[in-house]
Amino acid sequence: KEGIEHTKNNLLKTFEKYGIEVVETESFDPNFHDAVMSENSEHHEDGEIIEVLQKGYKYKERLLRPAMVKICKK
């Protein structure tokens, strides 16, 4: 378990060193998020991100991989 954590931390440090960032998932943006699922929810607004299924990454302003998310659909 410690080896996996160490490898993960080294990978994240390398990403940071070269300017690769995780895509923010505070609000849905079709330019940075790929909505692969939708679900009704009384606790979320329409179009709000409920769950992040896979993190997305960007290099400066260039999208490397969109975040796969589940959104609320009323």
Side-chain angles (χ1 to χ4, degrees), residues 8-74:
K8 177 185 169 189
N9 290 337
N10 283 340
L11 179 64
L12 294 176
K13 285 179 187 177
T14 303
F15 279 2
E16 185 178 319
K17 177 181 175 181
Y18 290 103
I20 297 173
E21 302 172 350
V22 175
V23 171
E24 297 295 328
T25 54
E26 295 171 359
S27 60
F28 182 75
D29 182 352
N31 297 315
F32 294 103
H33 304 108
D34 188 13
V36 295
M37 297 175 70
S38 63
E39 182 177 286
N40 289 331
S41 175
E42 297 176 3
H43 306 289
H44 296 89
E45 297 293 322
D46 189 39
E48 186 178 348
I49 295 174
I50 297 173
E51 182 180 356
V52 178
L53 305 171
Q54 184 180 45
K55 289 182 180 180
Y57 296 94
K58 61 183 179 177
Y59 174 67
K60 297 182 181 176
E61 292 302 316
R62 182 177 174 210
L63 184 65
L64 299 175
R65 180 175 78 181
M68 289 177 33
V69 297
K70 180 188 334 183
I71 60 169
C72 178
K73 192 73 169 178
K74 292 187 178 183

